[in-house]
Amino acid sequence: MGATDGQMDLLRFATAGSVDDGKSTLIGRLLYDSKSIFADQLEAVEKTSTDKGHGYVDLSLLTDGLRSEREQGITIDVAYRYFATPNRKFIIADTPGHVQYTRNMVTGASTADLGLVLVDARHGLTEQSRRHAVLLSLLRVPHLVLCINKMDLVEWSQETYERIHSEFTQFATKLNIPDLEVIPISALNGDNVVDRSENTPWYHGPTLMHHLEHVHVASDRDLVDTRFPVQYVVRPKSDEHHDYRGYAGLVAGGVLKKGDEVIVLPSGMTSKISGIDLFDREVDEAFPPMSVTVRLEDDVDVSRGDMIARVKNAPKPSQDIDAMVCWMTNEPLRPRQKLAIKHTTRTGRAMVKDIQYRLDVNSLHRDQEAGELGLNEIGRVQLRTTVPLLCDPYSKNRTTGSFILIDEATGVTVGAGMINSGS
Amino acid sequence: MTNTHVDYQLSQLDQLEAESIHIFREVAAEFEKPVLMFSGGKDSIVMLRLAEKAFYPAKIPFPILQVDTGLDFPEVMETRDNWVNRLGVRLVVASIDDAIANGVVVDDGKTSRNRMQTGTLLNAIEENGFTAAFGGGRRDEEKARAKERVYSHRDEFGQWDPKMQRPELWSLYNGRLHAGEHMRIFPISNWTELDIWDYIGREGIEIPDIYFSHQRRVFERDGMLMTETPLNPLRAGEVAEERTVRFRTCGDITLTGCVESTASTIDEIIEEVAAARVTERGATRGDDRFSEAAMEDRKKEGYF
């Protein structure tokens, strides 16, 4: 537990781009070059490539999961893939690039530390690549990599690379992208993916794999503002632990320490942390994303959905929520609509008070006349909730700043929300 | 607070553990009748360990369910009983023999008992009114599983429809159900085979002996080494001989192949797995080899 000396850490990244940009080939290449592909998988791919009459081993076949996709030659959902190098394990959320699958991109980006956008060097930035960058920025994915692929088809032209690079940088000034890397690659041949390419002597930046291995993600968490949403109350009711009462949850922000003075929301009761348990051991402190059980000195009434925070640094319970919402179902979102809402470990109902504007994710234009949000559309929405939410702005904390909306009749998740503010 | 960030890092294994524990607690809090599907293999043992940690010092607040094929390795059953006794959890056994006797599934002589697990399992879930069933599926195992959600919705027929899955955002899981439906929950979705072994080694927990190198009489069938047993008669041309082997997965004794190996400790197994060039299912699971889309089809029917 604790420091990762000599241990692997974890990077989650989301890939965006279409089949035509060579996204599957790039992922196949990362898996292949990091030796994460087994002989039986490779044999199957070789055989299929031969059957299809390809003159090369089609690495994109590695990532085409379902029969329906293989038949249609498309990707229909978020797929998760895994590979590791000696120092880091990687989880890829591979999201389809088609226009109708914004919701999958939002889903994949919601847990990502890094976003990887792929463009075809011959075509430069497209509406789609701009949209991917907007979504990654909206979801506050802290690191972004733009891979300019198929450089072999533009004769490794430095001019082409510079043009796309500056065009993207210009566009990115309107977005919130704290960290950007632009890498010229050929996924098919492997240039600058794992090994540095001799075809790009003018490029002095890292290869893609080197960047993925070394990008610093530990500072992306909020270690200042203590937030502990209570998930589950542990009461053994056995002779041995007759009086044990612990509050189990995953630390969403800040550092909890034994002896800390804390406040329980929404009740406002205060107490001190008498102990923090990690299975059968006590630990001195807990930080994100540890799952622990917190004990308090006083017998205060705490239950699931409550939040433990610091007395002088706690979110204000609010029922009026201002948020960006990505709508994920065919039936549009309209004012006065009632939905179930889940925020941290709290569940309640919400009513749409107002849809302020719809955001055009290609031009960033705000359409104030929209009045509703259709499938895969994103807009600024005012909600009134039945229970107070213990929230922070999404820009401050992705856990306490996010929520999902659920259709009460079908039970389906229909919206994803990122909170601007609560009042 | 002037602490440096460096002090507050979790290793990837600790991160996976924290995420899985979070999932167990979320389900226990939101579902009326959860159950943990237990096969006795290494993945379900890791699941038991995570569940133990999630609720400690209280007992695991749900029973465990095992589908008894009648063709399980005795070593696996022994390990199961040890775990059940140590944790004091309730064990529900759904037997395929009973299911056949009661007409729940049909033994047409062509279907392997492994395939009959699906009907037996769905019947047990329905009879007991379980609303959430934890499974040990990992996304790295097989292509069709790469798309699986942590909360995998099943309709009243227990079926999985890849196009009807709910989007799963952040770590906000949606557990809403209608009557008759249930949820399959996969707390170790993001673990790889190597992570599982690392964790077993780190935790020092008991797993069935068959994972370690031992002497066994085996014969070759379809390119796999199978156990010699009266349950699986030799066919013409097949010859059994003693070899030094171990199993990479646990399952039906008539379908689960082993590999030649001298790895007799967790560290040696980890070394072997890290260097392995064949996926665990590709190497040793006859039941996944029926067609290229075997797993996809079985998932749609309601298999794990």
Side-chain angles (χ1 to χ4, degrees), chain A residues 1-4 7-10 12 35 37-41 48 61-62 64-70 72 75-82 89 91 103-104 106-107 110-111 139 216 218-219 221 223-224 231-232 234-236 241 244 248-250 255 257 279-280 285 287-293 304 328 340 342-345 347 394 398 402-404 406 408-413 415-418, chain B residues 1 3-19 21-30 49 52-59 61 139-141 143-149 151 160 162-178 181 189-193 195 198 202-203 248 273-274 276-283 291-294 296-297 300:
Chain A
M1 202 60 184
T4 51
Q7 295 192 60
M8 287 164 83
D9 71 349
L10 181 65
R12 296 172 198 251
K35 303 194 171 47
I37 293 173
F38 293 101
D40 53 326
Q41 292 171 311
T48 312
L61 293 167
L62 283 167
D64 291 342
L66 304 174
R67 185 195 293 137
S68 40
E69 291 171 75
R70 287 195 295 276
Q72 298 166 46
T75 322
I76 52 171
D77 211 328
V78 187
Y80 294 88
R81 321 205 179 274
Y82 304 84
K89 170 172 163 167
I91 300 179
R103 72 170 222 183
N104 292 337
V106 169
T107 303
S110 71
T111 52
L139 272 291
H216 185 70
S219 324
R221 295 162 302 160
L223 291 171
V224 175
Q231 242 192 314
Y232 189 89
V234 179
R235 303 255 358 235
H241 303 281
Y244 187 96
L250 190 141
V255 180
K257 290 191 178 74
F279 183 38
D280 54 0
E285 44 187 22
F287 51 88
M290 283 171 72
S291 276
V292 293
T293 305
R304 174 176 167 84
M328 303 182 158
K342 187 174 183 187
H343 169 265
T344 61
T345 55
T347 310
Y394 186 76
R398 286 166 82 188
S402 55
F403 61 82
I404 55 172
I406 298 166
E408 292 180 299
T410 61
V412 172
T413 305
M418 288 145 279
Chain B
M1 290 246 325
N3 283 302
T4 55
H5 291 301
V6 178
D7 303 339
Y8 295 119
Q9 287 200 44
L10 278 192
S11 72
Q12 71 102 8
L13 205 53
D14 284 329
Q15 286 191 52
L16 291 176
E17 179 188 73
E19 176 184 76
I21 286 174
H22 173 260
I23 293 161
F24 272 111
R25 289 169 171 172
E26 204 58 16
V27 171
E30 287 199 321
R49 178 61 165 184
E52 177 186 9
K53 288 192 176 197
F55 305 104
Y56 188 86
K59 282 186 177 162
R139 290 182 185 137
D140 78 321
E141 279 181 282
K143 279 191 295 196
R145 282 197 173 163
K147 316 230 149 189
E148 187 57 277
R149 299 283 193 263
Y151 277 36
W160 174 77
K163 290 203 177 90
M164 285 303 294
Q165 294 199 82
R166 298 169 178 182
E168 206 158 72
L169 296 116
W170 298 288
S171 44
L172 289 167
Y173 303 106
N174 170 1
R176 300 244 165 172
L177 291 175
H178 291 103
E181 297 175 344
S189 286
N190 287 327
W191 297 52
T192 62
E193 184 179 13
D195 296 327
D198 278 341
R202 186 183 90 174
E203 299 290 310
R248 281 180 69 184
V273 169
R277 301 306 308 138
V278 183
T279 57
E280 56 186 288
R281 284 187 174 271
S291 77
E292 200 192 344
E296 188 179 343
D297 292 339
K300 283 179 178 165

Side-chain angles (χ1 to χ4, degrees), chain A residues 316-321 353 383-389 422-423:
Chain A
K316 197 165 109 292
S318 28
Q319 286 179 263
D320 289 293
I321 308 294
K353 301 292 279 187
L383 297 169
R384 171 81 184 166
T385 57
T386 51
V387 293
L389 301 189
S423 56

Side-chain angles (χ1 to χ4, degrees), chain A residues 183-196:
Chain A
I183 308 176
I185 64 164
S186 163
L188 195 63
N189 306 316
D191 297 73
N192 291 333
V193 177
V194 174
D195 299 315
R196 181 160 288 287

Side-chain angles (χ1 to χ4, degrees), chain A residues 121-189:
Chain A
R122 295 168 305 170
H123 310 145
L125 291 192
T126 58
E127 192 171 276
Q128 188 171 270
S129 34
R130 286 193 183 85
R131 183 170 57 242
H132 292 323
V134 168
L135 291 172
L136 289 165
S137 136
L138 192 70
L139 272 291
R140 298 269 167 179
V141 177
H143 308 273
L144 194 134
V145 179
L146 178 69
C147 280
I148 303 176
N149 189 25
K150 307 194 184 182
M151 287 297 293
D152 51 319
L153 301 182
V154 295
E155 280 133 42
W156 301 101
S157 151
Q158 180 178 2
E159 198 192 337
T160 304
Y161 168 83
E162 300 291 357
R163 186 169 40 78
I164 298 172
H165 188 167
S166 70
E167 197 185 341
F168 188 83
T169 315
Q170 230 172 342
F171 172 71
T173 53
K174 297 188 240 176
L175 306 173
N176 186 311
I177 298 172
D179 173 40
L180 172 68
E181 200 68 56
V182 185
I183 308 176
I185 64 164
S186 163
L188 195 63
N189 306 316

Side-chain angles (χ1 to χ4, degrees), chain A residues 325-398:
Chain A
V325 169
C326 172
W327 193 244
M328 303 182 158
T329 192
N330 289 319
E331 189 60 33
L333 177 74
R334 297 191 177 96
R336 312 279 314 151
Q337 202 166 327
K338 295 182 185 67
L339 298 141
I341 187 167
K342 187 174 183 187
H343 169 265
T344 61
T345 55
R346 234 163 207 258
T347 310
R349 299 181 73 210
M351 186 170 71
V352 180
K353 301 292 279 187
D354 185 31
I355 298 177
Q356 260 180 294
Y357 58 79
R358 177 169 54 208
L359 183 73
D360 182 330
V361 288
N362 303 312
S363 65
L364 298 178
H365 171 73
R366 299 171 174 188
D367 179 3
Q368 316 254 3
E369 308 301 306
E372 62 176 43
L373 292 182
L375 174 67
N376 285 312
E377 291 184 337
I378 292 171
R380 188 167 176 181
V381 176
Q382 260 70 44
L383 297 169
R384 171 81 184 166
T385 57
T386 51
V387 293
L389 301 189
L390 312 161
C391 57
D392 294 295
Y394 186 76
S395 56
K396 224 178 88 172
N397 187 316
R398 286 166 82 188

